[in-house]
Amino acid sequence: MKLYGHPETRDGDSPHRLSEVALCASPEALRRIASFLHHCASEMERMGARYDHIHLSDRLPEFEDSPHLIVARE
């Protein structure tokens, strides 16, 4: 697993590799994110090499105003 991210004020389009991520969220939000991650894993298995990435906010609109969480193939 690798983690990548952008600062809140972007200085370019290239993401930076991260060594740590902290999720500050409610128990309910964490359960919704866990469900999203489970969905992504199922989609990766189902789609195989055709799987590219899925955005949390596209799957769960309540996260539209949150930082972007994207699950991509390794």
Side-chain angles (χ1 to χ4, degrees):
M1 177 175 77
K2 296 176 185 141
L3 300 171
Y4 294 91
H6 290 282
E8 201 166 327
T9 54
R10 291 175 102 169
D11 59 355
D13 287 332
S14 293
H16 301 276
R17 192 158 177 186
L18 305 174
S19 63
E20 181 177 309
V21 172
L23 288 175
C24 300
S26 68
E28 180 56 30
L30 291 173
R31 287 185 186 93
R32 302 282 291 154
I33 292 167
S35 174
F36 166 71
L37 293 173
H38 188 270
H39 168 77
C40 292
S42 295
E43 285 295 283
M44 276 186 194
E45 289 175 337
R46 183 183 71 77
M47 295 179 71
R50 293 179 298 130
Y51 179 93
D52 187 49
H53 71 279
I54 302 175
H55 294 249
L56 173 67
S57 60
D58 288 346
R59 181 95 175 125
L60 300 171
E62 66 262 34
F63 288 100
E64 280 182 359
D65 294 329
S66 298
H68 293 251
L69 177 61
I70 304 162
V71 176
R73 177 172 287 290
E74 191 169 27

